[in-house]
Amino acid sequence: PLKLNMRAPRAGEIRVGLEGVEGRAAADCDPLVGDESRRVVTWGGSRELEVAKPQTLVLHIRMRCAELFAVELTPAR
């Protein structure tokens, strides 16, 4: 899964999209709020990235009144 170290108060949010992956646009991302060190990004409740392997990922990150400290991508097992 894709995890973020992030902080976004109620007035803010973070959304993440994957370029070229259907159903994984930033608009499809469940809003990320709160102060968490390993928040899993989800799209419609699913944490699966839905990408073919190997593939270069291009992330689109939308932030409003938020801070992003780190992005972690954990390979599937």
Side-chain angles (χ1 to χ4, degrees):
L2 182 63
K3 298 175 187 172
L4 303 182
N5 181 344
M6 45 80 64
R7 180 175 26 222
R10 270 188 210 214
E13 69 178 17
I14 297 177
R15 291 178 183 253
V16 180
L18 302 176
E19 183 177 295
V21 181
E22 189 171 334
R24 298 297 181 256
D28 300 322
C29 183
D30 298 322
L32 303 167
V33 295
D35 185 357
E36 299 187 44
S37 62
R38 299 190 72 182
R39 176 68 183 265
V40 175
V41 179
T42 58
W43 296 268
S46 174
R47 59 192 259 164
E48 300 302 318
L49 298 180
E50 304 291 335
V51 296
K53 298 176 189 174
Q55 181 177 342
T56 300
L57 293 179
V58 178
L59 301 177
H60 290 246
I61 300 173
R62 291 187 191 171
M63 298 177 21
R64 185 182 73 229
C65 299
E67 298 173 281
L68 178 62
F69 306 109
V71 176
E72 177 185 350
L73 179 59
T74 307
R77 295 179 186 194

